[in-house]
Amino acid sequence: MYARRIPLQPIGTVHGGLVCTLADTVIGCAVHSLLEAGVAYTSIDLTVNYLRPVTADGTKLLATGTVTKPGRRVAFATAEIVDASGKVVATGTGSVLIMDLRLPQ
């Protein structure tokens, strides 16, 4: 049996790095959904605002990423993370570098 270990702060709340990773993931996925096959991306910057503590009590989180500016070389997106009761626990903004990895025709 696999025991999941959630990274906790000494005070018992979920480590902010976990929430930050979730924000970075949905920002990247939002941008990725607009790219053609063979076009990649990587994060340039990320800002996360923590609004409420997240506890390790089994409460589910819902993270949503939204592209605010889909550029050719750099795209901008936001993240919103809410808990099971619908309260926003964190928001984020980020920019993503667009890299065309397709071979020239």
Side-chain angles (χ1 to χ4, degrees):
M1 184 169 149
Y2 174 72
R4 291 185 285 184
R5 296 194 184 262
I6 297 173
L8 299 178
Q9 297 285 7
I11 60 173
T13 58
V14 173
H15 193 282
L18 184 124
V19 176
C20 182
T21 299
L22 185 55
D24 187 47
T25 299
V26 297
I27 286 171
C29 287
V31 171
H32 189 195
S33 72
L34 301 178
L35 301 178
E36 295 179 22
V39 179
Y41 65 92
T42 189
S43 299
I44 296 174
D45 74 346
L46 176 65
T47 300
V48 177
N49 299 298
Y50 303 96
L51 308 174
R52 295 181 183 279
V54 175
T55 58
D57 61 1
T59 300
K60 293 185 178 185
L61 299 175
L62 174 66
T64 305
T66 304
V67 176
T68 55
K69 182 180 184 306
R72 285 183 302 166
R73 293 290 295 155
V74 176
F76 297 87
T78 61
E80 181 178 75
I81 303 169
V82 300
D83 64 15
S85 66
K87 293 180 181 173
V88 179
V89 297
T91 60
T93 58
S95 57
V96 177
L97 178 66
I98 309 296
M99 302 172 292
D100 192 344
L101 302 179
R102 297 174 289 189
L103 296 174
Q105 299 283 330

